[in-house]
């Protein structure tokens, strides 16, 4: 059910943003809404609870987002409240982002490393991955101290493991096959 709801509503929102030529704006604003709801669980619970009437929730939405995001997004959130679909907004935002990125030929890559990468390293990775995928790649660096060294890159359905941890695990598996 959640997949159908998120696909239906995110597609409808995407159609509006393409029609209005506001893809970038809607992407940024839905990311902002997603961030607000993820960082303020109490606020999100207020929007989801059936104990507060729909008109009160709409007022709260206007007061919270009124001057920060455009009217179409605010009205979209209000529709979700009216239809009692607000609990799906995080999935809808995620699916909307996926559709919009696909439309703009953007791929998001998670790069895991044992230390934080600097801006120059990230730009080089984005350039290399963009050339390989023939799409614009946006890199998000995630620090994972357990990797020891090297990088693990996840984008699309591809995982490139160039970490020392990964190489040691491969070596261990190879040795286990020889020994057994």
């Amino acid at each position: 059910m959640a997949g159908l709801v998120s696909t239906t509503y995110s597609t409808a929102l995407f159609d509006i943003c393409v029609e209005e030529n506001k893809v970038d704006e809607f992407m940024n604003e839905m990311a902002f809404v997603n961030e607000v709801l993820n960082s303020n669980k109490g606020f999100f619970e207020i929007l989801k609870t059936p104990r507060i009437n729909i008109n009160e929730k709409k007022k709260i939405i206007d007061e919270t987002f009124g001057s920060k995001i455009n009217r179409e997004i605010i009205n979209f959130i209000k529709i979700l409240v009216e239809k009692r679909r607000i609990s799906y907004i995080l999935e809808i935002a995620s699916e909307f982002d996926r559709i919009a990125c696909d439309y703009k030929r953007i791929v998001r890559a998670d790069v895991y490393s044992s230390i934080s990468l600097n801006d120059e390293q990230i730009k080089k990775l984005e350039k290399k991955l963009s050339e390989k995928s023939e799409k614009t790649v946006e890199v998000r660096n995630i620090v994972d101290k357990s990797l020891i060294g090297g990088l693990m890159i996840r984008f699309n359905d591809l995982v490139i493991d160039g970490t020392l941890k990964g190489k040691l695990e491969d070596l261990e598996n190879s040795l286990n096959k020889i020994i057994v």
Side-chain angles (χ1 to χ4, degrees), residues 23 27 32 43 48 50-52 59 65 89 95 99 113 122 124 130 137-138 146 151-152 154 172:
V23 177
M27 284 178 77
F32 173 72
F43 173 66
K48 292 191 297 187
R51 293 183 181 143
I52 298 174
K59 285 180 193 171
F65 296 114
I89 193 166
E95 181 64 12
I99 294 167
S113 60
I122 289 173
K124 283 182 181 178
S130 293
V137 176
E138 294 178 355
S146 73
L151 300 174
M152 180 170 57
R154 290 182 183 206
E172 179 184 28

Side-chain angles (χ1 to χ4, degrees):
M1 172 90 169
L4 179 61
V5 169
S6 63
T7 301
T8 302
Y9 281 92
S10 61
T11 302
L13 181 62
F14 179 73
D15 290 344
I16 292 167
C17 80
V18 169
E19 184 178 302
E20 306 243 343
N21 198 23
K22 295 181 178 179
V23 177
D24 290 330
E25 186 178 337
F26 276 38
M27 284 178 77
N28 292 333
E29 292 181 359
M30 285 303 289
F32 173 72
V33 169
N34 196 18
E35 183 181 323
V36 167
L37 296 176
N38 274 315
S39 62
N40 299 290
K41 298 292 184 193
F43 173 66
F44 193 22
E45 290 303 316
I46 288 170
L47 295 180
K48 292 191 297 187
T49 186
R51 293 183 181 143
I52 298 174
N53 78 40
I54 290 172
N55 289 329
E56 276 300 309
K57 290 179 186 179
K58 287 180 179 181
K59 285 180 193 171
I60 292 168
I61 291 165
D62 280 328
E63 291 168 8
T64 305
F65 296 114
S67 64
K68 296 174 183 80
I69 60 177
N70 80 46
R71 215 65 230 152
E72 289 97 335
I73 299 289
I74 291 172
N75 290 338
F76 179 75
I77 296 168
K78 288 178 179 179
I79 289 170
L80 294 177
V81 166
E82 285 175 12
K83 301 290 185 183
R84 302 193 193 292
R85 298 287 195 234
I86 194 68
S87 61
Y88 298 107
I89 193 166
L90 299 177
E91 292 88 354
I92 292 167
S94 178
E95 181 64 12
F96 172 80
D97 187 65
R98 188 196 64 72
I99 294 167
C101 283
D102 192 45
Y103 174 80
K104 293 184 63 172
R105 299 190 45 79
I106 295 173
V107 175
R108 298 234 165 85
D110 289 334
V111 176
Y112 299 84
S113 60
S114 59
I115 59 170
S116 184
L117 301 177
N118 64 39
D119 289 341
E120 184 181 330
Q121 291 168 319
I122 289 173
K123 288 197 185 325
K124 283 182 181 178
L125 265 172
E126 286 175 338
K127 185 178 180 199
K128 282 260 192 217
L129 294 172
S130 293
E131 289 169 0
K132 287 208 179 276
S133 67
E134 297 179 352
K135 292 184 177 184
T136 302
V137 176
E138 294 178 355
V139 167
R140 178 175 65 157
N141 183 213
I142 301 167
V143 176
D144 182 350
K145 299 284 185 193
S146 73
L147 295 179
I148 307 168
L151 300 174
M152 180 170 57
I153 303 168
R154 290 182 183 206
F155 77 111
N156 291 339
D157 295 329
L158 180 66
V159 176
I160 302 167
D161 190 350
T163 62
L164 287 176
K165 181 180 178 182
K167 291 181 191 291
L168 289 172
E169 287 172 356
D170 289 346
L171 180 62
E172 179 184 28
N173 289 336
S174 295
L175 289 173
N176 284 338
K177 288 179 185 174
I178 293 170
I179 295 171
V180 175

